[in-house]
Coordinates of all heavy atoms in Angstrom, one line a residue:
M24 N -85.3 -10.5 27.4 CA -84.0 -10.3 28.0 C -83.4 -9.1 27.5 O -83.0 -9.0 26.4 CB -83.1 -11.5 27.6 CG -83.5 -12.7 28.5 SD -82.5 -14.1 28.0 CE -81.0 -13.8 28.9
N25 N -83.5 -8.2 28.3 CA -83.0 -6.9 27.9 C -81.7 -6.7 28.6 O -81.6 -6.4 29.8 CB -84.0 -5.8 28.3 CG -84.1 -4.8 27.2 OD1 -83.3 -4.8 26.3 ND2 -85.1 -3.9 27.3
S26 N -80.7 -6.8 27.8 CA -79.4 -6.5 28.5 C -79.3 -5.0 28.7 O -79.9 -4.2 28.0 CB -78.2 -7.0 27.6 OG -78.3 -6.2 26.4
D27 N -78.6 -4.8 29.7 CA -78.5 -3.4 30.1 C -77.1 -3.0 29.9 O -76.2 -3.1 30.8 CB -78.9 -3.3 31.6 CG -78.8 -1.8 32.0 OD1 -78.9 -0.9 31.1 OD2 -78.7 -1.6 33.2
P28 N -76.8 -2.5 28.7 CA -75.4 -2.1 28.5 C -75.1 -0.9 29.3 O -75.8 0.1 29.4 CB -75.4 -1.8 27.0 CG -76.8 -1.4 26.7 CD -77.7 -2.2 27.6
R29 N -73.9 -1.0 29.9 CA -73.5 0.1 30.7 C -72.7 1.1 29.9 O -72.0 0.7 28.9 CB -72.6 -0.4 31.8 CG -73.5 -1.1 32.9 CD -72.5 -1.6 34.0 NE -73.2 -1.5 35.3 CZ -72.6 -1.6 36.4 NH1 -71.3 -1.6 36.4 NH2 -73.3 -1.6 37.5
D30 N -72.8 2.2 30.3 CA -71.9 3.2 29.7 C -70.6 3.1 30.4 O -70.5 3.4 31.6 CB -72.5 4.6 29.9 CG -73.3 5.0 28.7 OD1 -73.2 4.3 27.7 OD2 -74.0 6.0 28.7
Y31 N -69.7 2.9 29.6 CA -68.3 2.9 30.2 C -67.7 4.2 29.8 O -67.6 4.5 28.6 CB -67.4 1.8 29.7 CG -67.8 0.5 30.3 CD1 -68.6 -0.4 29.7 CD2 -67.4 0.2 31.6 CE1 -69.0 -1.6 30.2 CE2 -67.7 -1.0 32.2 CZ -68.5 -1.9 31.5 OH -68.9 -3.1 32.1
K32 N -67.4 4.9 30.8 CA -66.8 6.2 30.5 C -65.3 6.0 30.7 O -64.8 5.8 31.8 CB -67.3 7.3 31.4 CG -66.9 8.7 30.9 CD -67.7 9.7 31.7 CE -67.4 11.1 31.1 NZ -68.1 12.1 31.9
I33 N -64.6 6.0 29.6 CA -63.2 5.8 29.7 C -62.5 7.2 29.5 O -62.7 7.8 28.5 CB -62.7 4.8 28.6 CG1 -63.4 3.5 28.8 CG2 -61.2 4.7 28.8 CD1 -63.0 2.5 27.8
D34 N -61.8 7.5 30.5 CA -61.1 8.8 30.4 C -59.6 8.6 30.0 O -58.8 8.1 30.8 CB -61.2 9.5 31.7 CG -60.6 10.9 31.6 OD1 -60.3 11.4 30.5 OD2 -60.3 11.5 32.7
I35 N -59.4 8.8 28.8 CA -58.0 8.7 28.3 C -57.3 10.0 28.3 O -57.3 10.7 27.3 CB -57.9 8.0 26.9 CG1 -58.8 6.8 26.9 CG2 -56.5 7.8 26.6 CD1 -58.8 6.2 25.5
S36 N -56.9 10.3 29.5 CA -56.2 11.6 29.6 C -54.7 11.4 29.4 O -54.2 10.4 29.9 CB -56.5 12.3 30.9 OG -56.1 11.5 31.9
S37 N -54.1 12.2 28.7 CA -52.7 12.0 28.4 C -52.0 12.1 29.7 O -52.2 13.0 30.5 CB -52.2 13.0 27.4 OG -52.4 14.3 27.9
I38 N -51.1 11.2 29.9 CA -50.2 11.4 31.0 C -49.4 12.6 30.9 O -49.1 13.1 29.8 CB -49.2 10.1 31.1 CG1 -50.1 8.9 31.2 CG2 -48.3 10.2 32.3 CD1 -49.3 7.6 31.0
N39 N -49.1 13.2 32.0 CA -48.5 14.5 32.0 C -47.4 14.5 30.9 O -46.5 13.7 30.9 CB -47.8 14.8 33.3 CG -48.9 15.1 34.4 OD1 -50.0 15.5 34.0 ND2 -48.5 15.0 35.6
A40 N -47.5 15.5 30.0 CA -46.6 15.6 29.0 C -45.2 15.9 29.6 O -45.1 16.5 30.6 CB -47.0 16.8 28.0
D41 N -44.2 15.4 28.9 CA -42.9 15.7 29.4 C -42.6 17.1 29.5 O -42.9 17.9 28.6 CB -41.9 15.0 28.4 CG -42.0 13.5 28.5 OD1 -42.3 13.0 29.5 OD2 -41.8 12.9 27.4
E42 N -42.1 17.5 30.6 CA -41.8 18.9 30.8 C -40.5 19.1 30.0 O -39.6 18.3 30.0 CB -41.6 19.2 32.3 CG -42.9 19.1 33.0 CD -42.7 19.5 34.5 OE1 -41.6 20.0 34.8 OE2 -43.6 19.3 35.3
P43 N -40.4 20.3 29.4 CA -39.2 20.6 28.7 C -38.0 20.6 29.7 O -38.1 21.2 30.8 CB -39.4 21.9 28.1 CG -40.6 22.5 28.9 CD -41.4 21.3 29.3
K44 N -37.0 20.0 29.3 CA -35.8 20.0 30.2 C -35.1 21.3 30.2 O -35.0 22.0 29.2 CB -34.8 18.9 29.7 CG -35.3 17.5 30.0 CD -34.3 16.5 29.5 CE -34.7 15.1 29.8 NZ -33.8 14.1 29.4
A45 N -34.8 21.7 31.4 CA -34.1 22.9 31.5 C -32.7 22.8 30.9 O -32.1 21.7 30.9 CB -34.0 23.3 33.0
E46 N -32.2 23.8 30.4 CA -30.9 23.8 29.8 C -29.8 23.4 30.9 O -29.9 23.8 32.0 CB -30.5 25.1 29.2 CG -29.7 25.0 28.0 CD -29.5 26.4 27.4 OE1 -30.5 27.1 27.2 OE2 -28.3 26.7 27.0
A47 N -29.0 22.6 30.5 CA -28.0 22.2 31.5 C -27.2 23.4 32.0 O -26.8 24.2 31.2 CB -27.0 21.2 30.8
P48 N -27.1 23.5 33.3 CA -26.5 24.7 33.8 C -25.0 24.9 33.4 O -24.6 26.0 33.4 CB -26.6 24.4 35.4 CG -26.7 23.0 35.5 CD -27.5 22.5 34.3
N49 N -24.4 23.8 33.1 CA -23.0 23.9 32.7 C -22.8 24.0 31.2 O -21.7 23.9 30.7 CB -22.2 22.8 33.3 CG -22.7 21.5 32.8 OD1 -23.7 21.4 32.2 ND2 -21.9 20.4 33.2
A50 N -23.9 24.1 30.5 CA -23.8 24.2 29.0 C -23.3 25.6 28.7 O -23.9 26.6 29.0 CB -25.2 24.0 28.4
R51 N -22.2 25.6 28.0 CA -21.6 26.9 27.7 C -21.6 27.1 26.2 O -21.4 26.2 25.4 CB -20.1 26.9 28.2 CG -20.0 27.2 29.7 CD -18.6 27.6 30.0 NE -17.6 26.5 29.8 CZ -16.3 26.7 29.8 NH1 -15.8 27.9 29.8 NH2 -15.5 25.7 29.6
P52 N -21.8 28.3 25.8 CA -21.8 28.6 24.4 C -20.4 28.5 23.8 O -19.4 28.6 24.5 CB -22.3 30.1 24.3 CG -22.0 30.6 25.6 CD -22.1 29.5 26.6
F53 N -20.4 28.1 22.6 CA -19.0 27.9 22.0 C -19.1 28.4 20.5 O -20.1 28.5 19.9 CB -18.6 26.5 22.1 CG -19.5 25.5 21.3 CD1 -19.3 25.3 20.0 CD2 -20.6 24.9 21.9 CE1 -20.1 24.4 19.3 CE2 -21.4 24.1 21.3 CZ -21.2 23.8 19.9
L54 N -17.9 28.6 20.0 CA -17.8 28.9 18.6 C -17.1 27.7 17.9 O -16.4 27.0 18.5 CB -16.9 30.1 18.4 CG -17.3 31.4 19.2 CD1 -16.2 32.5 19.0 CD2 -18.6 31.9 18.7
S55 N -17.4 27.6 16.7 CA -16.7 26.6 15.9 C -15.6 27.3 15.1 O -15.8 28.3 14.4 CB -17.6 25.9 14.9 OG -18.6 25.2 15.5
V56 N -14.4 26.9 15.4 CA -13.2 27.6 14.8 C -12.4 26.6 14.0 O -12.2 25.4 14.4 CB -12.4 28.2 15.9 CG1 -11.1 28.8 15.3 CG2 -13.2 29.1 16.8
R57 N -12.1 27.1 12.9 CA -11.2 26.2 12.1 C -9.8 26.9 12.1 O -9.6 28.1 11.9 CB -11.6 26.2 10.6 CG -10.6 25.4 9.8 CD -11.0 25.5 8.3 NE -9.8 25.3 7.5 CZ -9.8 25.1 6.2 NH1 -10.9 25.1 5.5 NH2 -8.6 24.9 5.6
F58 N -8.8 26.1 12.5 CA -7.4 26.5 12.6 C -6.8 26.1 11.3 O -6.5 25.0 11.0 CB -6.7 25.8 13.8 CG -7.2 26.3 15.1 CD1 -8.3 25.8 15.7 CD2 -6.6 27.3 15.8 CE1 -8.8 26.2 16.9 CE2 -7.0 27.8 17.0 CZ -8.1 27.2 17.6
D59 N -6.5 27.2 10.6 CA -5.9 26.9 9.3 C -4.4 26.4 9.4 O -3.9 25.8 8.5 CB -5.9 28.2 8.4 CG -6.9 28.1 7.3 OD1 -7.6 27.1 7.3 OD2 -6.9 29.0 6.4
C60 N -3.8 26.8 10.6 CA -2.4 26.4 10.8 C -2.3 24.8 10.7 O -1.3 24.3 10.1 CB -2.0 26.9 12.1 SG -3.0 26.4 13.5
C61 N -3.3 24.1 11.2 CA -3.2 22.7 11.2 C -4.4 22.1 10.5 O -4.5 20.8 10.5 CB -3.1 22.2 12.6 SG -1.7 22.8 13.5
R62 N -5.3 22.9 10.0 CA -6.4 22.5 9.2 C -7.3 21.5 10.1 O -7.6 20.4 9.7 CB -6.0 21.8 7.9 CG -5.3 22.7 7.0 CD -5.0 22.1 5.7 NE -4.4 23.1 4.8 CZ -4.0 22.8 3.6 NH1 -4.3 21.6 3.0 NH2 -3.4 23.7 2.8
V63 N -7.6 22.0 11.2 CA -8.5 21.2 12.1 C -9.6 22.1 12.7 O -9.4 23.3 12.7 CB -7.7 20.6 13.3 CG1 -6.7 19.5 12.8 CG2 -6.9 21.7 14.1
Y64 N -10.6 21.5 13.0 CA -11.7 22.2 13.7 C -11.7 22.0 15.2 O -11.4 20.9 15.6 CB -13.1 21.7 13.1 CG -13.3 22.1 11.7 CD1 -12.9 21.3 10.6 CD2 -13.9 23.3 11.3 CE1 -13.1 21.6 9.3 CE2 -14.1 23.7 10.0 CZ -13.7 22.8 9.0 OH -13.9 23.1 7.7
Q65 N -12.1 23.0 15.9 CA -12.1 22.9 17.3 C -13.2 23.8 17.8 O -13.4 24.9 17.3 CB -10.7 23.3 17.9 CG -10.7 23.4 19.3 CD -10.5 22.0 20.0 OE1 -10.5 21.0 19.3 NE2 -10.5 21.9 21.3
R66 N -13.8 23.4 18.9 CA -14.8 24.3 19.6 C -14.1 25.2 20.5 O -13.2 24.7 21.3 CB -15.8 23.4 20.3 CG -16.8 22.8 19.4 CD -17.8 22.0 20.3 NE -18.8 21.3 19.4 CZ -19.8 20.6 19.9 NH1 -19.9 20.4 21.2 NH2 -20.7 20.1 19.1
V67 N -14.4 26.4 20.5 CA -13.9 27.3 21.5 C -15.0 27.8 22.4 O -16.0 28.4 21.9 CB -13.2 28.5 20.7 CG1 -12.8 29.6 21.7 CG2 -12.1 28.1 19.8
Y68 N -14.8 27.5 23.7 CA -15.8 27.8 24.6 C -15.6 29.2 25.3 O -14.5 29.7 25.4 CB -15.9 26.8 25.7 CG -16.4 25.5 25.2 CD1 -15.6 24.5 24.7 CD2 -17.8 25.2 25.3 CE1 -16.2 23.3 24.2 CE2 -18.3 24.1 24.8 CZ -17.5 23.1 24.3 OH -18.0 21.9 23.9
R69 N -16.7 29.7 25.7 CA -16.7 31.0 26.4 C -16.1 30.8 27.8 O -16.3 29.8 28.5 CB -18.1 31.6 26.5 CG -18.1 33.1 26.7 CD -19.5 33.6 26.4 NE -20.4 33.2 27.5 CZ -21.7 33.6 27.5 NH1 -22.2 34.2 26.5 NH2 -22.5 33.2 28.5
N70 N -15.4 31.8 28.2 CA -14.8 31.7 29.6 C -15.8 32.0 30.6 O -17.0 32.3 30.4 CB -13.6 32.7 29.7 CG -14.0 34.1 29.7 OD1 -15.2 34.4 29.5 ND2 -13.1 35.0 29.8
R71 N -15.4 31.8 31.9 CA -16.4 31.9 33.0 C -17.0 33.3 33.1 O -18.1 33.5 33.6 CB -15.7 31.5 34.3 CG -15.4 30.1 34.3 CD -14.6 29.7 35.6 NE -14.1 28.3 35.6 CZ -13.2 27.9 36.4 NH1 -12.7 28.7 37.3 NH2 -12.8 26.6 36.3
D72 N -16.2 34.3 32.8 CA -16.7 35.7 32.9 C -17.7 36.0 31.8 O -18.4 37.0 31.9 CB -15.5 36.7 32.8 CG -14.6 36.5 34.0 OD1 -15.0 35.9 35.0 OD2 -13.4 36.8 33.9
G73 N -17.6 35.2 30.7 CA -18.5 35.5 29.6 C -18.1 36.7 28.8 O -18.8 37.3 28.0
T74 N -16.8 37.0 28.9 CA -16.3 38.2 28.2 C -15.6 37.8 26.9 O -15.4 38.7 26.0 CB -15.3 39.0 29.1 OG1 -14.3 38.1 29.5 CG2 -16.0 39.6 30.3
R75 N -15.2 36.6 26.8 CA -14.5 36.2 25.6 C -14.5 34.7 25.5 O -14.8 34.0 26.4 CB -13.0 36.7 25.7 CG -12.3 36.3 26.9 CD -10.9 36.9 26.9 NE -10.9 38.3 27.0 CZ -9.9 39.1 26.9 NH1 -8.7 38.6 26.6 NH2 -10.0 40.4 27.0
Y76 N -14.1 34.3 24.3 CA -14.0 32.9 24.0 C -12.5 32.6 23.9 O -11.7 33.3 23.2 CB -14.6 32.6 22.6 CG -16.2 32.7 22.7 CD1 -16.8 33.9 22.6 CD2 -16.9 31.5 22.8 CE1 -18.2 34.0 22.6 CE2 -18.3 31.6 22.8 CZ -18.9 32.9 22.8 OH -20.3 32.9 22.8
E77 N -12.1 31.6 24.5 CA -10.7 31.3 24.5 C -10.5 29.8 24.2 O -11.1 28.9 24.7 CB -10.1 31.5 25.9 CG -10.1 33.0 26.3 CD -9.7 33.2 27.8 OE1 -9.9 32.2 28.6 OE2 -9.3 34.3 28.1
G78 N -9.6 29.6 23.2 CA -9.3 28.3 22.8 C -7.9 28.1 22.3 O -7.1 29.1 22.2
R79 N -7.6 26.9 22.0 CA -6.3 26.6 21.4 C -6.4 25.6 20.3 O -7.3 24.8 20.3 CB -5.5 25.9 22.5 CG -4.9 26.9 23.5 CD -4.0 26.1 24.5 NE -3.5 27.0 25.6 CZ -2.4 27.7 25.4 NH1 -1.7 27.7 24.3 NH2 -2.0 28.5 26.3
C80 N -5.5 25.7 19.4 CA -5.4 24.7 18.3 C -5.0 23.4 19.0 O -4.1 23.4 19.8 CB -4.4 25.2 17.3 SG -4.1 23.9 16.1
P81 N -5.8 22.4 18.7 CA -5.5 21.1 19.4 C -4.2 20.5 19.0 O -3.7 19.6 19.6 CB -6.7 20.2 19.0 CG -7.2 20.8 17.7 CD -6.9 22.3 17.8
K82 N -3.6 20.9 17.9 CA -2.4 20.3 17.4 C -1.2 21.1 17.8 O -0.2 20.5 18.3 CB -2.5 20.1 15.9 CG -3.4 19.0 15.5 CD -3.2 18.6 14.1 CE -4.1 17.4 13.7 NZ -3.8 17.0 12.3
C83 N -1.2 22.4 17.5 CA 0.0 23.1 17.8 C -0.1 24.0 19.0 O 0.8 24.8 19.4 CB 0.4 24.0 16.6 SG -0.7 25.3 16.2
M84 N -1.3 23.9 19.7 CA -1.6 24.7 20.9 C -1.5 26.2 20.8 O -1.3 26.9 21.7 CB -0.6 24.2 22.0 CG -0.7 22.7 22.3 SD -2.3 22.1 22.6 CE -2.6 22.8 24.3
R85 N -1.7 26.6 19.6 CA -1.7 28.0 19.4 C -3.0 28.6 20.0 O -4.1 28.1 19.8 CB -1.7 28.3 17.9 CG -1.9 29.7 17.5 CD -1.9 29.8 16.0 NE -2.4 31.0 15.5 CZ -2.7 31.3 14.2 NH1 -2.4 30.3 13.3 NH2 -3.1 32.4 13.8
A86 N -2.9 29.7 20.8 CA -4.0 30.2 21.5 C -4.7 31.3 20.6 O -4.1 32.0 19.9 CB -3.5 30.9 22.8
V87 N -6.0 31.3 20.8 CA -6.9 32.3 20.1 C -7.9 32.8 21.1 O -8.3 32.1 22.0 CB -7.6 31.7 18.9 CG1 -6.7 31.4 17.8 CG2 -8.4 30.5 19.3
T88 N -8.2 34.1 20.9 CA -9.2 34.7 21.8 C -10.2 35.5 20.9 O -9.8 36.2 20.1 CB -8.5 35.6 22.8 OG1 -7.6 34.9 23.6 CG2 -9.5 36.3 23.7
F89 N -11.4 35.3 21.2 CA -12.5 36.1 20.6 C -13.2 36.9 21.7 O -13.7 36.4 22.6 CB -13.5 35.2 19.9 CG -12.9 34.4 18.8 CD1 -12.4 33.1 19.1 CD2 -12.8 34.9 17.5 CE1 -11.9 32.4 18.1 CE2 -12.2 34.1 16.5 CZ -11.8 32.9 16.8
V90 N -13.1 38.2 21.5 CA -13.7 39.1 22.5 C -15.2 39.2 22.3 O -15.6 39.4 21.1 CB -13.0 40.5 22.5 CG1 -13.7 41.4 23.6 CG2 -11.5 40.3 22.8
V91 N -15.9 39.1 23.4 CA -17.4 39.3 23.3 C -17.7 40.7 23.5 O -17.3 41.3 24.5 CB -18.1 38.4 24.3 CG1 -19.6 38.6 24.2 CG2 -17.8 36.9 24.1
G92 N -18.4 41.3 22.6 CA -18.7 42.7 22.8 C -19.9 43.2 22.0 O -20.4 42.4 21.1
D93 N -20.5 44.3 22.4 CA -21.6 44.8 21.6 C -21.2 45.1 20.2 O -20.2 45.6 20.0 CB -22.2 46.0 22.3 CG -22.8 45.7 23.7 OD1 -23.2 44.5 23.8 OD2 -22.8 46.6 24.6
G94 N -22.1 44.9 19.3 CA -21.8 45.2 17.9 C -20.9 44.2 17.3 O -20.5 44.4 16.2
G95 N -20.6 43.2 18.1 CA -19.7 42.1 17.5 C -20.4 41.3 16.5 O -21.6 41.5 16.2
S96 N -19.7 40.3 16.1 CA -20.3 39.5 15.0 C -21.2 38.4 15.7 O -21.0 38.0 16.8 CB -19.1 38.8 14.3 OG -19.6 37.8 13.5
N97 N -22.2 38.1 15.0 CA -23.1 37.0 15.4 C -22.7 35.7 14.8 O -23.3 34.7 15.0 CB -24.5 37.3 15.0 CG -25.2 38.4 15.8 OD1 -24.9 38.4 17.0 ND2 -26.0 39.2 15.3
E98 N -21.6 35.7 14.1 CA -21.1 34.5 13.5 C -20.8 33.5 14.6 O -20.4 33.8 15.7 CB -19.8 34.8 12.7 CG -20.1 35.6 11.4 CD -20.8 34.7 10.4 OE1 -20.5 33.5 10.4 OE2 -21.6 35.2 9.6
R99 N -20.9 32.3 14.3 CA -20.6 31.2 15.2 C -19.5 30.3 14.6 O -19.1 29.3 15.2 CB -21.8 30.3 15.5 CG -22.7 31.0 16.5 CD -22.1 30.9 17.9 NE -22.8 31.7 18.9 CZ -22.5 32.9 19.2 NH1 -21.5 33.5 18.6 NH2 -23.2 33.5 20.1
F100 N -19.0 30.8 13.5 CA -18.0 30.0 12.8 C -16.9 30.9 12.4 O -17.1 31.9 11.8 CB -18.6 29.3 11.6 CG -17.6 28.4 10.9 CD1 -17.2 27.1 11.4 CD2 -16.9 28.9 9.8 CE1 -16.3 26.4 10.7 CE2 -16.0 28.1 9.1 CZ -15.7 26.9 9.6
F101 N -15.7 30.6 12.7 CA -14.5 31.4 12.4 C -13.4 30.6 11.9 O -13.3 29.4 12.1 CB -14.0 32.2 13.7 CG -15.0 33.2 14.2 CD1 -16.0 32.8 15.1 CD2 -15.0 34.5 13.7 CE1 -16.9 33.7 15.6 CE2 -15.9 35.4 14.2 CZ -16.9 35.0 15.2
V102 N -12.6 31.3 11.1 CA -11.4 30.7 10.6 C -10.2 31.5 11.2 O -10.1 32.7 11.0 CB -11.4 30.7 9.1 CG1 -10.0 30.1 8.6 CG2 -12.5 29.8 8.5
V103 N -9.3 30.7 11.8 CA -8.0 31.4 12.3 C -6.9 31.0 11.3 O -6.7 29.8 11.1 CB -7.7 30.9 13.7 CG1 -6.4 31.5 14.2 CG2 -8.8 31.2 14.6
E104 N -6.4 32.0 10.7 CA -5.3 31.7 9.7 C -4.0 31.7 10.4 O -3.7 32.3 11.4 CB -5.4 32.8 8.6 CG -6.7 32.8 7.9 CD -6.7 33.9 6.8 OE1 -5.8 34.6 6.6 OE2 -7.8 33.9 6.1
Ligands
LIG215 ZN1 -2.4 24.7 14.7

């Protein structure tokens, strides 16, 4: 009795790897700003033109603007006194 073992060829191919998700189209860059006036942190988002970051202190509504320009700072964290 000669059993005839079969070759089972099992192809374990990985299911398509997850494609990297594209960045959300509405994801806007922002700065982390600390408002010393009220000692709170707030994100300041870039405006639609991409020319500046505009934000307000969440407590006293004081407005701040950071202009985007060449040679500017690469900092992402600012303190507004
Ligand atoms: Zn404030």
Side-chain angles (χ1 to χ4, degrees):
M24 285 177 79
N25 221 352
S26 64
D27 183 22
R29 288 182 147 195
D30 266 350
Y31 286 99
K32 195 170 184 182
I33 303 176
D34 183 14
I35 307 177
S36 56
S37 59
I38 302 172
N39 287 342
D41 291 325
E42 292 181 12
K44 286 182 179 176
E46 214 173 312
N49 58 354
R51 282 197 291 163
F53 62 87
L54 306 175
S55 295
V56 179
R57 178 184 153 173
F58 291 84
D59 253 7
C60 52
C61 301
R62 297 187 178 182
V63 291
Y64 291 90
Q65 175 78 2
R66 285 181 180 182
V67 172
Y68 287 91
R69 204 165 70 182
N70 68 358
R71 290 176 190 167
D72 296 336
T74 55
R75 57 183 62 188
Y76 292 78
E77 296 170 335
R79 282 181 182 276
C80 172
K82 286 194 175 181
C83 69
M84 302 307 286
R85 173 182 166 189
V87 290
T88 300
F89 298 91
V90 178
V91 178
D93 293 334
S96 171
N97 285 325
E98 289 286 329
R99 279 290 172 265
F100 181 82
F101 292 91
V102 175
V103 177
E104 296 178 3

